[in-house]
Amino acid sequence: MLALVRERGSVRVAELAQELGVSPVTLRRDIEAMAARGEIQRMHGVISRVSAERTPGRGPGGAPSATAPAAAAPGRSGEGLVIGMVVPTTEYYYADVVRGAREAVEARGARLRVGLTRYLPGEDRTQADRLLSTGAHGLLLTPNWEAGSPGPDEGAWTAELPVPTVLVERWAPPGHPAAALDRVSSDHAHGAARAVQHLRDAGHRRIALASRTTPTTARLRAGYEAAVAALGLEPAPQWPQAGPVPLSEAESFARTLDYLCDAVTAGGVTAALIHSDTDAIMLIPRLQARGVRVPEDLAVITYDDEVAGMADVPLSAVAPAKHEVGARAAELLLDRLRTPSPRTGVQEVPRQHLDLLPLLTIRP
C-alpha cells in the first residue's frame, strides 16, 4: 500500500481496497496506523504520500510534534467535495428530501450525486459502492430496511464504509453497528401522537391507525399506541395480523378498507389517522359507498401531507419535515468532512442522532 501511494502520489481508499483485494475495514485500520506514524496523509477518502523531508513543526517520520501549532480550521466551504446520496426514489416523499440535500450541498460549493434503489434487495449497497467508485467523499444513505431499521443480520455493511456516512430517514437500534453512525430522520412517532392528541381534543375517544406496511409504519404505530395509552383513550379494534404470504397492493388496500368499515360500524371508532395521503384519498369514496360518511362518521387525518390539501375536500395532515431532513443531513456530513483529524481523516466530534418533529396542518 505504501509503495502504491508513493508511486502515484495519491489514491482513493475505495479503489485501493478493490485493487489489493481486501475489505475496506481491514484497509482502514492499516491506514489509521500509517497516518498516525506520519507515513501517509489521509483526507476525504483519499490517502497521499508525505514529503520525505521533515518540515517545521513535525517530528520523526513527518508526524506532528507536541509543540507544533494547531492548523487553522478551514471554513464552511465544501468546494471540491462530492456527496453521494442513495435513496429509494426521487419521487413523492423523497423528492423533498433530495431537494433539501441538493440545495444544502450546492450552497457549500459541493456536488451531489444520486443513486436510486427502487427498494430492490441489495441495491442500496450496489449504489453506495458505485458512488464511492466514482469519487464520493461521503454518503447520505437510506437503506432498503423494510421496517425503517435493520433486521437480524442486516445492515452492518453501512458501518464499514470507508467514508463518513449519514443515515437519512433510517435508524438502527442500540448495539447494532449502524447505531454509531450519524443520522437525521423525522420523528414519526411524535407525528402520530400529535394527530391522536388533536383528535382527542376534538372529542374523539376511540381512534384508529390505518397504515399499510412501509418503513414508516413501525414508528407511527409506536407513537400512536403511546399516545392512546397516555391520553387514556379507548383502544380501537386490533389491526389485522399479516399472514405468512405477503399481500399484493390490491389485497392490502382491500384489507385496510375492510378494517376501517368494521372499526366504525362495529368497533365504535369515530376518527382515524391514515397513512398515507394517497391511500386516504382513495379510501374515502369507498368508505362512503359502504355507508361510512367522512367526516360525519369518521374524522380523518392523513400522514405525509404530499397531496392531502388537494383532495376534493382538503384533508388535515401531519407533514414530516422532508426538505429539512435532507438539508440537515447534508450539512452534518459536510461539517464532518470539513475538519478531518490527522489520524482518521474524519472530524472527531460526537456522533449525532437528529429527530425532526413533523407539523400538523388542520384544514377546514
Side-chain angles (χ1 to χ4, degrees):
M1 180 167 63
L2 187 57
L4 289 173
V5 173
R6 286 174 173 168
E7 175 187 345
R8 301 175 187 176
S10 65
V11 61
R12 287 199 53 77
V13 174
E15 296 170 358
L16 190 59
Q18 184 175 11
E19 183 173 348
L20 296 178
V22 298
S23 73
V25 175
T26 299
L27 192 64
R28 187 164 58 217
R29 288 196 294 264
D30 291 338
I31 288 172
E32 291 176 1
M34 294 170 69
R37 294 194 297 266
E39 297 171 343
I40 59 172
Q41 292 180 326
R42 181 177 179 183
M43 179 74 72
H44 307 318
V46 176
I47 57 175
S48 59
R49 66 188 175 199
V50 296
S51 172
E53 299 179 2
R54 289 177 59 184
T55 56
R58 290 190 173 268
S65 71
T67 58
R76 288 180 57 82
S77 174
E79 189 171 352
L81 294 178
V82 175
I83 302 301
M85 186 174 195
V86 178
V87 288
T89 176
T90 55
E91 302 168 354
Y92 200 67
Y93 189 101
Y94 285 97
D96 274 347
V97 177
V98 173
R99 189 177 300 112
R102 186 192 68 213
E103 291 174 2
V105 166
E106 292 177 352
R108 299 272 287 266
R111 290 175 293 160
L112 183 70
R113 293 176 179 168
V114 175
L116 303 179
T117 68
R118 296 293 181 183
Y119 294 103
L120 296 175
E123 189 64 22
D124 42 13
R125 186 166 190 175
T126 298
Q127 292 297 321
D129 289 342
R130 182 185 65 80
L131 289 167
L132 290 173
S133 71
T134 58
H137 299 101
L139 290 175
L140 302 171
L141 189 59
T142 304
N144 291 329
W145 295 338
E146 184 176 352
S149 60
D153 303 320
E154 185 181 27
W157 65 272
T158 60
E160 299 171 356
L161 292 166
V163 299
T165 299
V166 178
L167 294 179
V168 181
E169 292 291 24
R170 294 293 185 266
W171 64 281
H176 189 280
L181 293 174
D182 292 308
R183 71 172 184 246
V184 180
S185 59
S186 300
D187 191 338
H188 298 302
H190 174 86
R194 181 70 185 88
V196 171
Q197 184 179 35
H198 173 78
L199 291 169
R200 190 282 310 265
D201 292 345
H204 298 281
R205 297 293 303 169
R206 186 167 289 177
I207 301 164
L209 168 66
S211 175
R212 291 187 281 169
T213 301
T214 74
T216 306
T217 304
R219 306 306 291 170
L220 287 177
R221 188 156 295 280
Y224 160 80
E225 292 176 350
V228 167
L231 298 171
L233 300 178
E234 301 169 9
Q238 186 174 6
W239 180 255
Q241 296 298 314
V245 180
L247 299 177
S248 67
E249 284 286 315
E251 290 170 333
S252 181
F253 184 82
R255 184 178 70 161
T256 303
L257 177 60
D258 289 341
Y259 169 77
L260 285 173
C261 285
D262 293 342
V264 174
T265 58
V269 166
T270 61
L273 171 63
I274 300 178
H275 177 230
S276 62
D277 297 351
T278 53
D279 274 12
I281 290 173
M282 293 175 65
L283 281 166
I284 287 172
R286 289 165 173 81
L287 287 166
Q288 293 174 333
R290 291 171 62 169
V292 177
R293 299 170 301 165
V294 177
E296 293 85 355
D297 300 323
L298 183 70
V300 168
I301 291 180
T302 74
Y303 198 89
D304 273 357
D305 204 14
E306 289 284 339
V307 293
M310 293 183 283
D312 53 351
V313 176
L315 300 171
S316 298
V318 177
K322 299 178 283 286
H323 183 280
E324 189 68 10
V325 165
R328 291 286 190 94
E331 290 167 355
L332 177 57
L333 181 57
L334 288 166
D335 285 345
R336 193 165 291 284
L337 286 166
R338 179 169 55 96
T339 315
S341 76
R343 185 177 67 83
T344 65
V346 179
Q347 188 178 13
E348 292 188 336
V349 297
R351 300 297 176 112
Q352 298 184 49
H353 292 170
L354 302 181
D355 289 328
L356 305 188
L357 304 187
L359 298 176
L360 173 62
T361 298
I362 302 301
R363 298 184 174 99

